[in-house]
Amino acid sequence: GGPEGGVRGVGTSYYFGDGGINGTKITQVVRTEFESFYDSVMGFVSAVHWSEPWIIALLSFHFILLVAAVATRNRSEVQMGLFVFLLGCVYLAETLNGLGAKHWKSFSTQNYFDSKGLWMSCVFSLPLLLIAIVMLVQSLFNASNLLVKVKRQQLQSQVRQARREGGSGGGEAQDNKKEK
């Protein structure tokens, strides 16, 4: 058995607590938590008026940034500038949330800008951070490709060097390789 109040396995089923009749299967807990999360997300999505012009503009802004991030994946200077811009926008989210809370009546039908910044985190900052992650993955992919390319060129250079040394002097190339 497991410690009192801990998690212990019984066959292929796992239980919280002592595993008795009142024990709750982990799969049931996960399913219940997922359903609760799903209900919360759907409530959030349904509470937003997605047809408001400023929300459409915000979503378009995110889409344009994603396209720019993918289109410039081989231009490291542009990527660095875009990455700094994205993180700067995330940094300014709290200030933008305060401005939105103060002036929401001039551009929106309802106040989305709560004091904790949940709206700005979910609808403004989260997409920007996801785009930044896409850029980071692209950069790692490019770096690994560059590493392979450089290593391949290094090996080809060593082969050419060995052929030149092998053709002119005999065993010196082999002796040099053993010393390295």
Side-chain angles (χ1 to χ4, degrees), residues 72 74-82:
T72 62
N74 294 322
R75 299 186 56 202
S76 59
E77 302 85 13
V78 176
Q79 287 276 293
M80 187 55 64
L82 188 57

Side-chain angles (χ1 to χ4, degrees), residues 32-44:
T32 303
E33 290 298 319
F34 178 75
E35 289 170 356
S36 173
F37 174 74
Y38 179 78
D39 291 342
S40 296
V41 168
M42 294 313 294
F44 178 83

Side-chain angles (χ1 to χ4, degrees), residues 114-136:
D114 59 326
S115 62
K116 294 185 180 183
L118 180 64
W119 164 260
M120 282 301 264
S121 295
C122 292
V123 179
F124 182 73
S125 297
L126 181 63
L128 295 177
L129 290 173
L130 292 174
I131 293 168
I133 290 170
V134 166
M135 293 174 67
L136 183 63

Side-chain angles (χ1 to χ4, degrees), residues 2 5 10 27-28 41 57-58 66 88 90 94-95 105 108 123 143 179:
V10 178
T27 54
Q28 290 172 336
V41 168
L58 179 64
L66 178 62
V90 171
E94 184 178 0
T95 303
K105 290 180 183 177
S108 183
V123 179
E179 289 176 13

Side-chain angles (χ1 to χ4, degrees):
E4 188 70 17
V7 176
R8 72 181 182 113
V10 178
T12 57
S13 296
Y14 293 90
Y15 296 91
F16 285 117
D18 62 2
I21 296 172
N22 295 327
T24 306
K25 287 187 180 180
I26 289 178
T27 54
Q28 290 172 336
V29 170
V30 170
R31 185 178 303 121
T32 303
E33 290 298 319
F34 178 75
E35 289 170 356
S36 173
F37 174 74
Y38 179 78
D39 291 342
S40 296
V41 168
M42 294 313 294
F44 178 83
V45 169
S46 65
V48 176
H49 296 158
W50 296 100
S51 60
E52 290 194 47
W54 74 274
I55 294 178
I56 293 171
L58 179 64
L59 296 175
S60 299
F61 171 70
H62 288 131
F63 180 74
I64 289 168
L65 287 175
L66 178 62
V67 169
V70 173
T72 62
R73 67 185 170 274
N74 294 322
R75 299 186 56 202
S76 59
E77 302 85 13
V78 176
Q79 287 276 293
M80 187 55 64
L82 188 57
F83 192 77
V84 169
F85 175 74
L86 290 172
L87 297 183
C89 287
V90 171
Y91 178 76
L92 293 173
E94 184 178 0
T95 303
L96 293 173
N97 188 59
L99 288 171
K102 193 179 291 185
H103 303 289
W104 69 270
K105 290 180 183 177
S106 64
F107 62 90
S108 183
T109 59
Q110 61 181 339
N111 186 3
Y112 295 104
F113 306 96
D114 59 326
S115 62
K116 294 185 180 183
L118 180 64
W119 164 260
M120 282 301 264
S121 295
C122 292
V123 179
F124 182 73
S125 297
L126 181 63
L128 295 177
L129 290 173
L130 292 174
I131 293 168
I133 290 170
V134 166
M135 293 174 67
L136 183 63
V137 169
Q138 288 175 159
S139 295
L140 291 172
F141 182 75
N142 288 343
S144 67
N145 284 341
L146 183 61
L147 184 64
V148 169
K149 183 179 177 181
V150 167
K151 191 63 177 176
R152 187 175 291 139
Q153 288 177 348
Q154 180 187 12
L155 291 173
Q156 288 171 347
S157 175
Q158 287 176 350
V159 167
R160 282 192 298 271
Q161 182 76 21
R163 285 182 184 159
R164 272 189 247 126
E165 291 175 359
S168 64
E172 279 184 38
Q174 297 298 327
D175 292 341
N176 286 341
K177 283 185 183 178
K178 288 179 184 174
E179 289 176 13
K180 291 181 184 178

